[in-house]
């Protein structure tokens, strides 16, 4: 069964003007990015405020960095690399010219790493993280820091310990941001895969329902065809013969009363046979043919009806020391019923024996007659034989058929008792 696959969408849904996050957690990241960018602008503009060309350049660099974040490249690797390079240029070029402070570089590099998680795979993310850490370290170590910007005295402000602690803090912050965003991406991907699996399961269920309806229709059609054959071959033949006998009765009623009476008796007998044929067909159609009887009683009744119909007294030996499941009883009953029906119609037998025994951990069923027999290789399409085989396979049993022309027929079924555990 081929199911159309629905590929997961990217973590973001894009349009030409803004980013639309599909999950609340990603919207939170978007708000966090805006907060970091706003903080960078605040520190560059208001701490301290001094209107100049340098101020405009700072605002321009941060604004440009913010605007390009409204549309991230998600397809071509070349576009992703060019985009990330532009981000580094917007951060490092003003920083090396002493336009942006290390504090803004800290925040912008953090935003850059957050964006890289949505653009690159894990290897690309690690490369961007390493480049961001290297860029911040270079900017921090190569630039003098004014002591008045800190709460501590000049010696502590310019110490290497302070710089190294800032670098360590920046590195830990980048790693935390990387792990957090990847965890959110993994959680979203799991939800998408679960949703896809749910959709596929619904599609499979729909197709299975369609197939079940088709199989049911085919089974119904086969059953109708089988009933039509039963009526044509059994009841139709009997009623046709009865009609002939009644016509003969009417024909000889005035000229030969004795002969007419003989034809009338034959017509009566054929009417009784037609009634038995109807009862047999109704028995086949019952969903539970045993109707509360034991399997032994049901088979014995079958044999009684068979004797009344054919005049043959069958021999029977049934020894079941344990109660069998309903499904097993029904299947064995149907196999015996179909075998007796075939013998009645085709075998021309004078002796029939049925055996149902338990021996050596196996249930053995056998139906044997001394009729004219047939060649099994030339009778493989019969509905009755096919039905018996299907019932045996459904039980996990083995059905064997032995017959030759002139030597009768023997049908045997062997069912391991261990198979009964599944019922």
């Amino acid at each position: 069964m081929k199911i159309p696959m629905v590929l997961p969408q990217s973590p973001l849904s894009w349009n030409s003007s803004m980013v639309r996050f599909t999950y609340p957690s990603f919207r939170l990241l978007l708000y966090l990015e805006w907060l970091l960018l706003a903080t960078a602008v605040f520190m560059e503009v208001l701490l301290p405020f001094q209107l100049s060309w340098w101020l405009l350049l700072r605002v321009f660099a941060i604004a440009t960095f913010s605007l390009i974040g409204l549309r991230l490249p998600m397809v071509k690797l070349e576009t992703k690399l060019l985009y990330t390079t532009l981000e580094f240029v917007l951060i490092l070029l003003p920083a090396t010219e002493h336009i942006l402070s290390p504090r803004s570089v800290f925040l912008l590099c953090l935003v850059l790493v957050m964006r890289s998680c949505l653009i690159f795979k894990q290897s690309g993310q690690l490369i961007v993280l390493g480049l961001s850490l290297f860029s911040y370290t270079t900017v921090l170590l190569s630039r003098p820091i004014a002591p008045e910007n800190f709460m501590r005295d000049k010696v502590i402000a310019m110490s290497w310990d302070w710089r190294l602690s800032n670098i360590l803090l920046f590195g830990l912050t980048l790693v935390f941001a990387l792990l957090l965003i990847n965890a959110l991406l993994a959680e979203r991907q799991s939800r998408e895969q679960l949703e896809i699996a749910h959709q596929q399961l619904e599609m499979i269920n729909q197709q299975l329902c369609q197939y079940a309806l088709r199989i049911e229709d085919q089974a119904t059609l086969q059953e109708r065809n089988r009933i039509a054959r039963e009526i044509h071959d059994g009841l139709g033949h009997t009623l046709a013969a009865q009609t002939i006998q009644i016509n003969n009765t009417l024909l000889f009623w005035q000229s030969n009363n004795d002969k007419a009476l003989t034809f009338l008796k034959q017509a009566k007998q054929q009417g009784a046979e037609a009634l038995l044929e109807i009862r047999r067909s109704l028995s086949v159609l019952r969903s539970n043919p045993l109707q509360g009887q034991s399997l032994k009683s049901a088979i014995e009744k079958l044999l009684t009806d068979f004797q009344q119909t054919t005049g043959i007294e069958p021999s029977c030996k049934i020894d079941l020391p344990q109660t069998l499941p309903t499904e097993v009883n029904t299947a064995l009953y149907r196999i015996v019923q179909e075998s007796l029906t075939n013998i009645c119609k085709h075998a021309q037998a004078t002796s029939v024996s049925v055996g149902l025994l338990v021996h050596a951990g196996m249930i053995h069923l056998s139906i044997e007659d001394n009729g004219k027999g047939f060649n099994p290789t030339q009778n493989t399409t019969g509905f009755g034989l096919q039905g018996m085989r299907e019932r045996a396979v459904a039980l996990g049993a083995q059905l064997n058929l032995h017959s030759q022309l002139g030597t009768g027929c023997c049908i045997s079924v062997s069912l391991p008792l261990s198979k009964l555990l599944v019922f």
Side-chain angles (χ1 to χ4, degrees):
M1 183 184 306
K2 187 175 180 180
I3 304 296
M5 297 297 295
V6 181
L7 296 178
Q9 299 177 351
S10 76
L12 306 176
S13 300
W14 305 96
N15 61 15
S16 59
S17 61
M18 63 178 296
V19 179
R20 294 181 180 176
F21 288 90
T22 57
Y23 280 83
S25 56
F26 285 99
R27 286 197 297 270
L28 178 62
L29 290 179
L30 178 61
Y31 300 152
L32 177 61
E33 178 181 329
W34 290 347
L35 179 61
L36 294 174
L37 294 172
T39 303
V41 173
F42 176 80
M43 290 188 301
E44 293 297 328
V45 174
L46 300 178
L47 295 177
F49 177 77
Q50 184 179 3
L51 186 60
S52 63
W53 286 107
W54 300 117
L55 177 62
L56 296 178
L57 289 177
R58 293 172 188 171
V59 174
F60 175 78
I62 298 176
T64 305
F65 184 87
S66 303
L67 290 175
I68 65 175
L70 296 179
R71 189 179 181 87
L72 302 181
M74 304 298 295
V75 181
K76 295 183 179 180
L77 179 61
E78 296 81 1
T79 307
K80 296 178 182 180
L81 295 176
L82 182 61
Y83 177 87
T84 306
T85 302
L86 178 60
E87 287 183 308
F88 274 111
V89 170
L90 289 173
I91 296 174
L92 296 180
L93 187 58
T96 54
E97 297 295 332
H98 305 293
I99 297 176
L100 286 179
S101 65
R103 294 169 299 185
S104 298
V105 174
F106 184 107
L107 297 176
L108 295 181
C109 285
L110 179 58
V111 173
L112 190 152
V113 171
M114 292 171 58
R115 291 176 180 176
S116 69
C117 294
L118 304 176
I119 298 176
F120 296 104
K121 296 181 179 179
Q122 186 175 9
S123 57
Q125 297 171 16
L126 294 176
I127 293 174
V128 173
L129 186 147
L131 292 175
S132 299
L133 183 60
F134 176 78
S135 301
Y136 177 73
T137 303
T138 302
V139 170
L140 189 62
L141 296 180
S142 63
R143 183 172 178 177
I145 302 177
E148 61 270 18
N149 291 337
F150 303 93
M151 299 298 296
R152 300 184 182 185
D153 56 33
K154 182 177 179 180
V155 176
I156 298 178
M158 297 300 296
S159 67
W160 282 96
D161 291 341
W162 183 89
R163 298 186 181 190
L164 292 177
S165 63
N166 274 271
I167 294 172
L168 179 60
L169 176 61
F170 180 67
L172 292 176
T173 303
L174 293 183
V175 172
F176 175 77
L178 188 70
L179 294 177
L180 175 62
I181 298 176
N182 280 321
L184 293 176
L185 290 173
E187 183 264 346
R188 182 181 187 275
Q189 185 178 10
S190 299
R191 290 189 180 185
E192 286 184 342
Q193 291 177 350
L194 182 61
E195 184 177 354
I196 292 171
H198 180 69
Q199 293 175 356
Q200 292 179 350
L201 182 60
E202 288 184 351
M203 296 175 62
I204 292 174
N205 287 336
Q206 292 176 359
Q207 293 186 357
L208 287 178
C209 290
Q210 294 176 357
Y211 291 153
L213 290 175
R214 293 179 184 175
I215 293 174
E216 183 179 357
D217 291 341
Q218 292 177 357
T220 302
L221 181 60
Q222 288 181 351
E223 183 65 13
R224 288 175 178 175
N225 292 335
R226 188 189 70 81
I227 294 174
R229 289 196 300 269
E230 291 286 338
I231 293 175
H232 177 270
D233 295 341
L235 185 60
H237 174 76
T238 303
L239 292 178
Q242 185 185 40
T243 301
I244 295 174
Q245 299 299 339
I246 292 176
N247 290 333
N248 291 335
T249 301
L250 295 175
L251 182 63
F252 291 98
W253 181 255
Q254 294 180 350
S255 60
N256 191 338
N257 291 337
D258 293 337
K259 197 169 185 179
L261 182 61
T262 301
F263 287 133
L264 185 60
K265 291 180 179 179
Q266 291 177 355
K268 179 183 177 182
Q269 178 63 29
Q270 289 166 349
E273 293 177 0
L275 182 60
L276 289 176
E277 187 70 26
I278 292 175
R279 290 176 178 175
R280 187 183 300 111
S281 298
L282 292 177
S283 177
V284 170
L285 293 176
R286 289 195 190 106
S287 58
N288 184 12
L290 275 65
Q291 295 293 325
Q293 304 178 81
S294 66
L295 179 60
K296 180 178 180 181
S297 300
I299 292 178
E300 288 176 348
K301 187 177 185 305
L302 275 180
L303 296 176
T304 300
D305 293 342
F306 176 81
Q307 181 178 358
Q308 292 176 355
T309 303
T310 62
I312 302 173
E313 183 177 359
S315 62
C316 177
K317 184 177 182 181
I318 299 178
D319 184 11
L320 291 176
Q322 65 185 81
T323 302
L324 302 179
T326 302
E327 294 82 355
V328 177
N329 286 335
T330 301
L332 295 177
Y333 175 86
R334 291 300 192 192
I335 292 174
V336 174
Q337 183 184 48
E338 187 63 35
S339 299
L340 294 177
T341 299
N342 290 339
I343 293 173
C344 179
K345 289 182 177 181
H346 310 295
Q348 299 178 5
T350 59
S351 174
V352 176
S353 63
V354 176
L356 181 58
L357 307 171
V358 176
H359 178 69
M362 302 282 290
I363 298 176
H364 298 280
L365 171 66
S366 63
I367 306 98
E368 188 173 0
D369 68 81
N370 65 346
K372 63 180 182 180
F374 63 95
N375 186 354
T377 60
Q378 297 179 358
N379 292 269
T380 58
T381 59
F383 186 87
L385 293 177
Q386 179 182 354
M388 287 190 284
R389 290 191 180 96
E390 290 175 354
R391 293 184 187 278
V393 170
L395 293 178
Q398 182 178 2
L399 185 143
N400 296 313
L401 188 149
H402 302 283
S403 180
Q404 291 181 357
L405 293 175
T407 60
C409 177
C410 178
I411 295 176
S412 62
V413 178
S414 300
L415 172 63
L417 291 175
S418 59
K419 296 288 185 179
L420 302 183
L421 298 178
V422 301
F423 293 98

